[in-house]
Amino acid sequence: MAFTRLAGIIAIALASSHSAYAATTGAKPVTCSTGQVTANAACCALFPVVSLMQSQLFDNGECGEGAHSALRLSFHDAIGFSIHGGKGGGADGSILQFGDVETQFHANGGIDEIVDDQTPVWQQTNLTAGDFLHLAAAVGTANCPGAPRLQFMLGRPAPVAPAPDLTIPEPTDSVTSILARFADAGFSPREAVALLTSHTIAAADVVDPAIPRTPFDSTSATFDSQIFLEVLLKGRLFPGPNNSSQPGEVLSPLAGEMRLQSDFVISQDSRTACFWQQMINNQQLMISQFKAAMAKLQLLGQNTAHLIDCSDVVPIPRSFTQAIKYPASFSQADVQIACPQLPFPSLATVAGPAPTVAPV
């Protein structure tokens, strides 16, 4: 009964926004039995699932650890794919259905927690693992202010086997290795950078096991371009105990923040540095590029002719319009510029002493 009441409350809150979406698509809107409006009747069954996710996975709509991890899980599920064949089924939910296998992969360290959280919720629905997992990523991301409203397509078949190991890029990999893995899955260097936008709300659990849930930027509850700025700032310390370093991280500019080695070398490489810099304080460019890259990621290995566009069940994220700033005590003099051919954005600095970033 509690779930029924919660679903009803969320239905009322979202109905007007879904109606507006259906009107803009040109499709004849369909009113579901629960009162929500969608462009396709087949999507009606998803509204209760969205409510279930919000209550049981995302703390009733928070941009917290559950949302961050759901987005990470969608990437780790889908990237085990090759446009040349011979790898996994792409965005098929295999990491959820065959979690006992895929969570053992080295690159999936720490992912067992979100798999354990999502599995019993998924089992309350009639969705395949792939549909549930990628809907959860879209819903969780929508809880973060500034995020795009991600596409969601319904109708993935059940996965037939786990993805193979060694298909997920790791923080210790070289730029050439990372870009080659992305290219094998069908992504350009620019699209690889666009997908790394996800690190704006991400955190590390096992790079340094002594400090789980260490964020990658100082605004981990906001989907903004702060990550692209802070990765470029001169490092001062490691966030671990006694300023200790671990494989896969480099010096961070802020206490409590982790800078991945892979993010830093991509930000400095001639193949990706200028696009990285262009993201800074350019919210619309960042979210449009991320949305497009995610739409591609979440369809890897799928027959799109058999899928139904149910994007209008995804909540509309709150907007983010503020200019980002240098963290207190930093300025452009601290930026490790790797794209001198483009002007660097002019940014203000937060007043006060250098902050310590809290775990997510």
Side-chain angles (χ1 to χ4, degrees):
M1 291 298 293
F3 169 68
T4 301
R5 289 194 297 271
L6 176 63
I9 292 169
I10 296 176
I12 293 169
L14 297 180
S16 61
S17 63
H18 294 315
S19 178
Y21 178 86
T24 60
T25 63
K28 184 178 179 180
V30 175
T31 301
C32 306
S33 61
T34 50
Q36 291 106 327
V37 178
T38 176
N40 193 304
C43 305
C44 285
L46 297 178
F47 288 112
V49 176
V50 171
S51 298
L52 185 68
M53 290 175 173
Q54 294 285 42
S55 64
Q56 296 196 16
L57 293 175
F58 305 133
D59 298 318
N60 295 320
E62 292 295 318
C63 181
E65 174 67 9
H68 307 165
S69 297
L71 182 55
R72 181 189 180 206
L73 189 64
S74 70
F75 175 77
H76 283 238
D77 176 61
I79 200 65
F81 175 80
S82 172
I83 57 176
H84 307 292
K87 288 188 170 65
D92 61 356
S94 64
I95 198 170
L96 193 60
Q97 186 152 322
F98 302 105
D100 56 333
V101 175
E102 293 194 37
T103 57
Q104 301 305 308
F105 299 166
H106 183 267
N108 285 335
I111 214 109
D112 55 323
E113 182 176 346
I114 185 61
V115 169
D116 289 345
D117 288 346
Q118 285 196 7
T119 297
V121 183
W122 161 50
Q123 291 171 342
Q124 297 177 55
T125 74
N126 292 320
L127 298 183
T128 62
D131 279 347
F132 181 90
L133 186 156
H134 292 286
L135 177 60
V139 173
T141 300
N143 292 334
C144 300
R149 191 188 201 189
L150 296 179
Q151 173 184 281
F152 175 70
M153 304 294 284
L154 174 69
R156 294 167 182 80
V160 297
D165 199 358
L166 306 178
T167 59
I168 302 166
E170 299 209 46
T172 53
D173 291 344
S174 68
V175 178
T176 295
S177 174
I178 293 169
L179 295 183
R181 177 74 274 274
F182 273 102
D184 185 43
F187 293 94
S188 69
R190 286 172 65 97
E191 289 173 322
V193 171
L195 287 171
L196 289 174
T197 300
S198 62
H199 286 181
T200 185
I201 57 168
D205 285 325
V206 297
V207 174
D208 187 340
I211 48 170
R213 301 189 176 186
T214 302
F216 297 143
D217 77 9
S218 59
T219 58
S220 60
T222 306
F223 202 97
D224 59 23
S225 63
Q226 198 75 29
I227 182 71
F228 291 100
L229 172 64
E230 292 181 13
V231 166
L232 293 179
L233 298 178
K234 292 176 182 177
R236 298 179 175 180
L237 74 170
F238 292 104
N242 304 314
N243 196 21
S244 59
S245 66
Q246 301 293 326
E249 68 172 328
V250 294
L251 287 168
S252 170
L254 297 173
E257 176 181 292
M258 180 173 290
R259 177 158 50 190
L260 293 180
Q261 174 186 316
S262 50
D263 282 356
F264 180 68
V265 294
I266 288 172
S267 78
Q268 299 294 299
D269 191 273
S270 61
R271 292 164 287 186
T272 46
C274 287
F275 190 56
W276 185 283
Q277 182 175 304
Q278 285 179 289
M279 297 289 206
I280 297 172
N281 207 33
N282 194 335
Q283 184 76 9
Q284 290 308 308
L285 173 67
M286 185 188 74
I287 64 173
S288 65
Q289 293 293 314
F290 177 71
K291 181 174 182 175
M294 280 296 297
K296 185 173 178 178
L297 178 82
Q298 293 185 300
L299 293 177
L300 289 180
Q302 305 306 305
N303 185 341
T304 57
H306 295 162
L307 301 182
I308 300 168
D309 189 347
C310 289
S311 302
D312 59 0
V313 308
V314 178
I316 298 174
R318 287 170 289 163
S319 62
F320 174 83
T321 57
Q322 301 97 304
I324 67 165
K325 297 179 179 181
Y326 290 107
S329 80
F330 286 86
S331 69
Q332 188 167 332
D334 298 296
V335 177
Q336 299 169 101
I337 294 176
C339 180
Q341 57 267 48
L342 293 179
F344 198 83
S346 178
L347 304 171
T349 298
V350 176
T356 295
V357 183
V360 299

